Amino acid sequence: EFDNLKSKNFELFKPECEFTDDSVLTVAVAETLLNFNPDDEENFKGNLIDIFHKYGELYPDVGYGGHYLSWVEHKHREPYNSCGNGSAMRVSAVGWMFDTLEETEKVAKISAEITHNHPEGIKGAQATAAAIWMARNGISKAEIKGYIEKTYGYDLDRTWEFLNRNYGWDSSCQGTVPEAIIAFLESTDFEDAIRKAVSMGGDSDTLACITGGIAEAFYGEIPEGMVEVTQRVSPPILHKLLDALKSRSSYGDIVPNR
């Protein structure tokens, strides 16, 4: 994230690898979706805020942005008008949970605006969830590109080669989500998508998190070797959450006591 590289030829996993805020908050959104009804918007928002605060206490040192960390530490319940890429990095479960694109975009908006109520923060979450929904429903890359460009106004005509040479660090939705989608659009498989995202530079873990969510939905799998390593470095709560997501069934509060 802060020591970028510009090559796809890098060691994917090292002994010091660990999970970041992207994984923690993705789990938080997914837990809320499994246990609370987003049709009851205010209740859903309240529970999502509670779960974000809870996960912030369980995993306090995983790289949260400064504004978000303050929001968690002070138990705030009002949004702070952020346009940061955090709303997009945590939204992937929304892209999997609903039968229609309309409902997906609606809930993506709700999930974003508890903190990221700036129009760009909301747009980034909606565009990411929409791309995931379309990818898992067998829609082509060309159609995904066209829809995202038309609906959200992102410039997806730049190439990975151009971004590899010219892209720099940017923590905003508008400066991360289009680039993450381009990494997916130009990829040949899941691992290639991750490598393209990382080698663009920028806010690498978040950019690759967004790219990976779309790529997994489109290609239908993550290589087993990548899954095994990731499971070894991620907390058990993530494994339980993934099992629950697969069955789309409520499983109660899976967060263990300290």
Side-chain angles (χ1 to χ4, degrees):
E1 180 176 355
F2 299 110
D3 187 19
N4 293 150
L5 51 83
K6 288 287 189 173
S7 170
K8 292 195 299 177
N9 298 316
F10 58 87
E11 187 177 356
L12 196 57
F13 295 105
K14 294 184 176 182
E16 61 267 30
C17 283
E18 56 189 28
F19 64 93
T20 72
D21 55 329
D22 303 68
S23 296
V24 171
L25 298 184
T26 296
V27 169
V29 171
E31 182 184 340
T32 311
L33 287 170
L34 287 169
N35 288 289
F36 303 101
N37 182 5
D39 289 338
D40 184 354
E41 185 171 330
E42 289 308 309
N43 182 58
F44 181 78
K45 283 184 176 179
N47 283 294
L48 184 55
I49 291 168
D50 290 340
I51 287 174
F52 273 28
H53 288 164
K54 175 176 64 177
Y55 274 73
E57 292 177 353
L58 284 170
Y59 305 105
D61 301 313
V62 290
Y64 304 111
H67 287 115
Y68 180 84
L69 188 59
S70 176
W71 183 82
V72 168
E73 288 179 341
H74 292 92
K75 294 290 192 296
H76 291 313
R77 304 193 70 82
E78 296 300 320
Y80 48 93
N81 199 38
S82 175
C83 64
N85 54 27
S87 60
M89 79 183 190
R90 70 196 190 205
V91 79
S92 57
V94 178
W96 284 94
M97 291 295 290
F98 302 101
D99 293 331
T100 68
L101 180 56
E102 179 182 13
E103 190 171 14
T104 297
E105 291 171 317
K106 172 189 171 184
V107 178
K109 178 178 184 293
I110 295 170
S111 77
E113 61 191 5
I114 63 163
T115 51
H116 292 56
N117 58 325
H118 187 283
E120 291 292 343
I122 292 170
K123 185 168 76 171
Q126 289 182 305
T128 301
I132 292 170
W133 185 92
M134 296 175 78
R136 76 175 176 88
N137 280 285
I139 295 173
S140 70
K141 287 183 178 181
E143 291 174 290
I144 294 172
K145 177 178 182 290
Y147 179 81
I148 298 299
E149 287 178 325
K150 180 179 179 181
T151 305
Y152 297 104
Y154 289 149
D155 175 12
L156 303 181
D157 284 331
R158 293 164 297 162
T159 64
W160 171 80
E161 286 82 2
F162 172 83
L163 292 168
N164 176 254
R165 294 192 306 269
N166 297 286
Y167 181 62
W169 204 89
D170 193 323
S171 64
S172 70
C173 265
Q174 60 269 36
T176 305
V177 175
E179 290 76 13
I181 295 174
I182 289 168
F184 154 69
L185 291 172
E186 294 205 13
S187 66
T188 56
D189 55 33
F190 180 85
E191 182 173 338
D192 184 59
I194 296 297
R195 290 185 179 278
K196 278 188 165 70
V198 171
S199 60
M200 280 185 186
D203 188 0
S204 301
D205 61 333
T206 297
L207 201 157
C209 181
I210 297 167
T211 297
I214 306 169
E216 193 273 339
F218 185 83
Y219 295 113
E221 63 179 0
I222 300 173
E224 187 60 33
M226 296 178 72
V227 173
E228 290 174 359
V229 176
T230 303
Q231 287 179 334
R232 286 202 298 269
V233 301
S234 60
I237 184 176
L238 178 58
H239 310 160
K240 295 179 183 179
L241 190 282
L242 290 174
D243 289 340
L245 275 175
K246 290 175 183 176
S247 64
R248 296 192 183 190
S249 60
S250 178
Y251 60 103
D253 186 359
I254 64 171
V255 178
N257 294 323
R258 270 199 181 279

